[in-house]
Amino acid sequence: MKNNMPFEQFNDSYLKNILQNSENLNKAYTSAFSKISEQISGIDQRFTGRARLLPYSELLENLSGKSRLFAYSELLENLSGKSRLIPQDKLIQDNLYIDLNKQIYSWQKLLQPSLDIFQSSRQLKEIVLASRVWDKSFTEVTRQIQELNLFSKNPALVQNLLKPSRVYTDFVEKTYQRLEQSTSEKVDRALETSLHLAEDQLLSTTETLLNIITVPTDEELASYEIDLLLPIVQQDELITIVESSEEEDEESLIRLSPAAQASAQVKRILDLIIQCNEVTQTKVQKEMFKPTTKLLDAYAQLPWLIPQDKRSFGDFIDHLYFTFYESAGKDNLRFLTKHGGVLDENLDGDFIWCIKHLRNKWLRHDADHGKETDIRKSWKDLSDKFKWLGLNHTPIKEEHFRKLHRSLLKEAESFLEKILEKLIP
């Protein structure tokens, strides 16, 4: 199939809509660039923090060309051909088309009014840049997915790997609606900072994903749908911060957002997992953490997951469990010395046994199961796990779950650093 095939030649209505909207979006990019090209050389000093957060100049330089959303024809041929031949996956494939079409339409809506009515070239430049961040992320992830033929091998996984782009698009659209309605300069500053922060997080998630995406070692379906609330939570935090302080510098504001700091820590954890695998592989050993379907899910979703209640905390624990327990060998954990690893299960296993107990005795199974003595022991062990994480009671409020979230991320990072320290004496 040629890349320049006009959309009218496709019989599938979804394909026609996608190509039509893609073509319109490309025209909007070209028009937008012509309006801001004279002012693109300088960066507003107010956004020095953003210059640190993402490759600003590189993205701006790329605005002059036609948008390369992805290899449209090749991708669509794969989706409409091989994947659509699988009857049980038809609903998933349809959802992929609909999601992509909605995202393109959202960016088209954001750009077109900007071209028609916005007097501020800075605001237009902001929207164009945000769309380019989405473009860059979506292009690189879909290209790698396509090269591995995951669209036909595991379409449910593909949906989750592309979920950050959907979350980002929806967040940008809603934030610009809030900006239009805002009458407070402080709130404007928080909203703009949250946009810049989400841009960096999308690029960061993309970078990490590209280092781990492969054909999974299992054939399990991707996990169920969960809410990825990071951009919204940290936006609310930033609004609270600017309303209670005189802080204006973006870097300082971001450092005061607990959600932003938690997401950054997740990024470090995921990078450490990759490093552990690379070290063991150079020692001619198997990967310590195998890239299962659920591990790949975790790489796409953990950076965007902020627990706020028992349900979302359960989603968080699931991802930790699948990452650190199941992908590491389940009952034959590869990081333990008795299975050829470097950690002592009695001295170094507190983190692993904690997430396993939280999941199996509280979140996904009932502690009130078995003999009375077993039940009492399960609840006593659960109480000990909460205390180990810094909480003297069962979590009830959002602040309790956020505290457990922070404590477990700290323990996860320390756990992986200990593995690397012992792998590289």
Side-chain angles (χ1 to χ4, degrees):
M1 184 182 293
K2 296 182 180 179
N3 286 342
N4 58 357
M5 179 180 287
F7 65 88
E8 290 86 353
Q9 293 186 25
F10 286 95
N11 293 324
D12 190 291
S13 60
Y14 286 141
L15 305 188
K16 285 185 179 181
N17 288 336
I18 290 173
L19 291 176
Q20 172 72 77
N21 284 336
S22 299
E23 182 177 301
N24 292 339
L25 186 57
N26 284 333
K27 291 178 181 178
Y29 275 131
T30 303
S31 179
F33 178 77
S34 67
K35 291 198 174 190
I36 65 174
S37 58
E38 295 180 359
Q39 303 179 40
I40 219 166
S41 58
I43 299 176
D44 191 332
Q45 291 300 311
R46 183 178 173 186
F47 295 101
T48 53
R50 188 183 192 184
R52 178 193 65 81
L53 283 173
L54 57 112
Y56 204 113
S57 58
E58 173 191 345
L59 288 170
L60 291 179
E61 289 169 2
N62 289 336
L63 288 177
S64 57
K66 223 181 179 188
S67 172
R68 60 187 199 296
L69 292 175
F70 54 92
Y72 298 113
S73 298
E74 293 179 15
L75 175 60
L76 295 174
E77 181 182 25
N78 195 316
L79 286 172
S80 61
K82 297 177 182 178
S83 297
R84 277 179 165 261
L85 293 177
I86 306 175
Q88 63 267 31
D89 288 335
K90 187 178 187 306
L91 178 59
I92 296 175
Q93 298 302 331
D94 287 347
N95 287 337
L96 283 171
Y97 288 126
I98 294 170
D99 286 339
L100 175 56
N101 200 31
K102 284 173 61 178
Q103 289 181 69
I104 293 176
Y105 183 62
S106 293
W107 289 111
Q108 183 184 345
K109 284 196 305 180
L110 279 168
L111 278 166
Q112 195 57 51
S114 304
L115 300 176
D116 296 338
I117 63 176
F118 282 168
Q119 300 298 318
S120 168
S121 61
R122 183 180 70 80
Q123 190 165 9
L124 174 56
K125 184 164 62 178
E126 293 285 309
I127 294 176
V128 173
L129 180 56
S131 67
R132 291 295 296 151
V133 168
W134 172 80
D135 178 356
K136 181 180 178 70
S137 172
F138 196 90
T139 299
E140 294 180 353
V141 174
T142 52
R143 182 181 293 124
Q144 189 155 331
I145 288 172
Q146 186 184 4
E147 288 175 357
L148 295 169
N149 200 24
L150 285 178
F151 286 106
S152 60
K153 292 179 178 178
N154 199 332
L157 172 61
V158 170
Q159 273 198 299
N160 282 356
L161 295 180
L162 295 177
K163 188 170 181 177
S165 71
R166 302 197 300 272
V167 172
Y168 175 72
T169 298
D170 184 60
F171 172 72
V172 172
E173 187 171 23
K174 290 179 179 178
T175 300
Y176 272 104
Q177 291 173 359
R178 293 189 69 175
L179 277 167
E180 290 177 3
Q181 299 167 2
S182 172
T183 57
S184 165
E185 290 186 7
K186 285 191 171 186
V187 172
D188 287 352
R189 184 161 64 250
L191 294 175
E192 290 172 349
T193 300
S194 72
L195 285 169
H196 306 161
L197 180 55
E199 288 171 5
D200 178 63
Q201 289 163 337
L202 182 63
L203 293 176
S204 177
T205 300
T206 301
E207 178 186 8
T208 308
L209 269 177
L210 294 177
N211 287 326
I212 196 72
I213 293 179
T214 187
V215 178
T217 58
D218 63 338
E219 296 182 356
E220 290 191 45
L221 290 177
S223 62
Y224 52 87
E225 187 76 9
I226 62 176
D227 294 328
L228 303 182
L229 301 177
L230 170 71
I232 298 172
V233 172
Q234 64 193 10
Q235 183 177 88
D236 290 341
E237 290 177 350
L238 289 168
I239 291 174
T240 299
I241 292 166
V242 297
E243 288 180 338
S244 60
S245 72
E246 297 301 321
E247 190 63 68
E248 295 189 6
D249 176 68
E250 283 197 350
E251 292 184 50
S252 299
L253 287 174
I254 290 169
R255 281 196 295 269
L256 294 173
S257 165
Q261 298 310 307
S263 181
Q265 190 165 27
V266 172
K267 171 67 163 61
R268 293 195 297 272
I269 289 168
L270 299 180
D271 287 340
L272 284 170
I273 289 173
I274 293 173
Q275 291 173 20
C276 288
N277 281 346
E278 290 177 344
V279 172
T280 54
Q281 286 177 299
T282 57
K283 293 177 178 288
V284 198
Q285 298 175 4
K286 294 181 179 179
E287 295 162 309
M288 185 169 289
F289 301 95
K290 285 188 174 296
T292 62
T293 296
K294 291 175 180 177
L295 178 64
L296 297 181
D297 270 350
Y299 266 73
Q301 302 193 69
L302 264 179
W304 301 80
L305 177 57
I306 300 294
Q308 296 184 298
D309 51 28
K310 187 176 180 179
R311 181 188 61 79
S312 55
F313 184 72
D315 296 334
F316 169 65
I317 291 295
D318 279 345
H319 278 314
L320 291 188
Y321 179 83
F322 298 144
T323 298
F324 287 96
Y325 189 76
E326 284 198 355
S327 78
K330 296 183 180 179
D331 297 328
N332 299 296
L333 295 168
R334 285 180 287 275
F335 45 71
L336 296 181
T337 52
K338 66 179 182 179
H339 301 303
V342 294
L343 298 184
D344 184 284
E345 65 175 311
N346 295 317
L347 300 177
D348 306 315
D350 287 346
F351 168 67
I352 293 298
W353 313 138
C354 180
I355 60 176
K356 185 179 179 182
H357 193 84
L358 289 176
R359 184 176 189 273
N360 292 344
K361 295 296 184 178
W362 181 47
L363 294 164
R364 299 308 182 213
H365 301 281
D366 190 357
D368 294 325
H369 181 74
K371 298 178 181 178
E372 185 176 346
T373 54
D374 294 334
I375 293 174
R376 285 200 302 268
K377 185 178 185 306
S378 293
W379 282 107
K380 174 62 168 59
D381 289 344
L382 187 59
S383 176
D384 291 341
K385 297 297 185 283
F386 289 145
K387 290 177 181 177
W388 185 68
L389 295 171
L391 202 63
N392 291 320
H393 52 80
T394 300
I396 301 296
K397 300 178 180 179
E398 177 183 347
E399 62 192 72
H400 303 153
F401 291 102
R402 294 287 296 276
K403 180 177 180 60
L404 293 178
H405 181 233
R406 290 192 300 271
S407 296
L408 281 166
L409 291 181
K410 180 181 177 181
E411 293 297 334
E413 187 173 5
S414 297
F415 178 79
L416 292 167
E417 287 174 343
K418 185 179 296 184
I419 291 177
L420 278 176
E421 181 183 341
K422 294 190 176 186
L423 283 173
I424 311 174

